[in-house]
Amino acid sequence: MSTENFIPLDTLCTHYKVTLSFFYNLNDNGLIDIEVIEQTQYIHQDALHEIEKIIRMHQELDVNVEGIDVVLNLLKKIDALKTELQAVRNRLRLYEN
């Protein structure tokens, strides 16, 4: 498997100043997926935005991994509700005109 779209876990640890156990904990809680290719652990580059959000919550707000999971789930629900509200508003406009 090609590793061109993957970032080594060690590089992320160094760049963001977090431990490997932090990433293992995120993986155990289903927040990220760690890929093992040729005995090296990687994160797909598409997950980088979500990882940066998680690391900011952890470092700047001192939120633990379980709290991060709750926050991310609530943010997803908020986005779904916004989408639903927009759809309802669009349907309401049809009846108002």
Side-chain angles (χ1 to χ4, degrees), residues 19-84:
T19 62
L20 275 173
S21 62
F22 177 72
F23 284 107
Y24 295 152
N25 203 358
L26 293 175
N27 186 57
D28 291 343
N29 283 289
L31 297 175
I32 63 169
D33 291 321
I34 296 175
E35 300 286 334
V36 178
I37 303 169
E38 298 176 8
Q39 299 180 348
T40 304
Q41 297 171 328
Y42 295 92
I43 299 290
H44 197 276
Q45 67 184 12
D46 292 344
L48 197 55
H49 177 70
E50 194 75 10
I51 289 171
E52 288 177 344
K53 206 180 341 180
I54 289 169
I55 290 173
R56 277 195 309 273
M57 278 190 264
H58 179 68
Q59 290 178 340
E60 296 174 11
L61 302 175
D62 201 28
V63 179
N64 63 11
V65 174
E66 291 80 10
I68 291 169
D69 188 24
V70 170
V71 169
L72 291 176
N73 285 330
L74 288 173
L75 289 172
K76 286 178 188 175
K77 286 182 181 184
I78 288 171
D79 286 339
L81 288 171
K82 283 181 181 178
T83 302
E84 182 181 353

